Amino acid sequence: MSDFTVLRLPGFEDERGGLTVLEKILPFDIRRVYWIYNAAGQTRGGHRHHETRQALVAVSGEVTVYMNDGRQVRDVVLSHPGQCLLVEPEDWHRMTFGGNAVLLVLASHLYDKNDYINEAYA
């Protein structure tokens, strides 16, 4: 089994719909939030970071995240808004989007182009 962490977020459902909560569970303070959408069939990412940690949640649809930390490789499928994948700085990651997927990303640092490492592990 891999060391990549997928958190289970608490959720509630009734006849009015579903609600998922993300509070007091991430191992970092959130400094940046963004989401990726209208990317069906597309691949995004393809990098790792010097410092930034991230949490990924497919709030709609399905996103497959290829993860490689230099020791192990795994595809993590996010298909429910109650799943939250932690992406550590050393995790080279690439996301492939299914139809109507929306990926929410919570990051520990503000955007800095110098924080990106584009070379994959050999």
Side-chain angles (χ1 to χ4, degrees):
M1 196 61 184
S2 89
D3 292 329
F4 300 121
T5 302
V6 178
L7 302 173
R8 286 269 174 224
L9 304 176
F12 310 92
E13 287 196 41
D14 62 22
E15 64 279 352
R16 300 169 297 163
L19 179 140
T20 300
V21 178
L22 195 156
E23 65 182 9
K24 299 181 183 178
I25 193 169
L26 295 181
F28 58 85
D29 291 332
I30 300 167
R31 299 282 315 276
R32 181 174 181 234
V33 177
Y34 61 95
W35 46 98
I36 302 168
Y37 56 95
N38 289 339
Q42 299 299 311
T43 299
R44 304 275 312 243
H47 59 266
R48 54 191 165 110
H49 294 275
H50 290 287
E51 295 184 36
T52 300
R53 301 172 82 185
Q54 298 178 326
L56 309 182
V57 178
V59 295
S60 179
E62 184 174 288
V63 178
T64 300
V65 185
Y66 170 85
M67 299 280 286
N68 181 348
D69 66 2
R71 298 180 318 269
Q72 58 190 330
V73 173
R74 178 175 169 209
D75 282 330
V76 178
V77 177
L78 299 174
S79 59
H80 187 277
Q83 298 171 294
C84 177
L85 173 64
L86 296 182
V87 179
E88 299 298 339
E90 67 272 10
D91 295 337
W92 197 88
H93 57 287
R94 179 180 65 228
M95 299 87 63
T96 303
F97 290 78
N100 297 318
V102 177
L103 182 68
L104 175 68
V105 182
L106 308 139
S108 65
H109 289 71
L110 299 176
Y111 173 78
D112 177 359
K113 67 178 181 177
N114 296 315
D115 186 46
Y116 285 70
I117 302 169
N118 294 310
E119 295 81 28
Y121 291 105

